[in-house]
Amino acid sequence: MNKIVKAQGRPPKFNASRNAIKRILEALATGDSIRKAIAKENLSWNTFRKWMNEKPELREAYEQAKSDGIHFTLDQVEDQCKDMIKSANDKTANLNSIKALDILVRHKQFLASKLSPKTFGTDKQQLSLTNNKGEKFSIEWSK
């Protein structure tokens, strides 16, 4: 008769946390930060990073979820802009709300360009120098 042998020792944390990883990736895809997502699952950044280094498929899933989160967030900002335009047309928007939305849009553009420069960064880079006579020297290049 074959005996069923039970595995001894503590199960690997990664295998026990597959559902947590799914929830982390889902949170990233809906715009949450990685810090917030791993804190909800009671994981440390070092543990999650170690898993990504050991598992290339997790690294790919993380990058995809991060990209999806950027798109999700930009869509939210677009909806907020459309609502603000509607409010401005109805003359129910105030200047403080418009300015706050402008700051939010600029912040999200900046974050997107830094988190995913190939997709959301500018194509041209420029370096400008001005001497003490006010003469300007500029160099531009494409990525």
Side-chain angles (χ1 to χ4, degrees):
M1 184 191 305
N2 290 340
K3 255 184 147 183
I4 298 175
V5 179
K6 232 181 182 184
Q8 293 189 357
R10 195 170 115 190
K13 194 172 182 182
F14 179 79
N15 290 334
S17 300
R18 289 197 188 274
N19 288 334
I21 290 169
K22 287 179 185 176
R23 288 189 297 268
I24 289 169
L25 295 175
E26 185 61 33
L28 288 173
T30 57
D32 279 356
S33 70
I34 185 62
R35 293 176 73 186
K36 186 176 180 181
I38 62 175
K40 284 181 189 175
E41 297 300 326
N42 223 8
L43 284 173
S44 71
W45 170 245
N46 289 336
T47 299
F48 189 75
R49 211 170 107 241
K50 180 180 142 198
W51 292 348
M52 282 195 300
N53 290 334
E54 292 172 353
K55 311 259 186 236
E57 66 276 6
L58 178 58
R59 170 71 68 179
E60 289 173 20
Y62 168 77
E63 294 296 333
Q64 183 61 50
K66 191 171 73 166
S67 177
D68 293 346
I70 292 169
H71 287 280
F72 183 85
T73 302
L74 292 177
D75 283 347
Q76 281 182 323
V77 170
E78 184 177 0
D79 290 343
Q80 289 173 318
C81 289
K82 287 177 182 176
D83 291 344
M84 185 59 69
I85 290 169
K86 197 181 292 183
S87 296
N89 288 337
D90 297 343
K91 302 199 188 307
T92 57
N94 65 33
L95 193 57
N96 289 337
S97 298
I98 293 170
K99 186 63 179 171
L101 184 59
D102 180 49
I103 291 168
L104 176 69
V105 168
R106 290 174 192 268
H107 175 70
K108 293 299 181 179
Q109 287 173 332
F110 170 78
L111 280 178
S113 72
K114 295 304 172 194
L115 292 173
S116 187
K118 290 181 181 175
T119 306
F120 299 105
T122 58
D123 290 337
K124 288 186 178 178
Q125 296 291 316
Q126 182 178 15
L127 173 66
S128 297
L129 302 170
T130 307
N131 65 12
N132 56 0
K133 295 179 185 175
E135 297 168 333
K136 192 173 182 179
F137 176 74
S138 295
I139 302 172
E140 283 188 11
W141 65 93
S142 296
K143 289 184 182 180

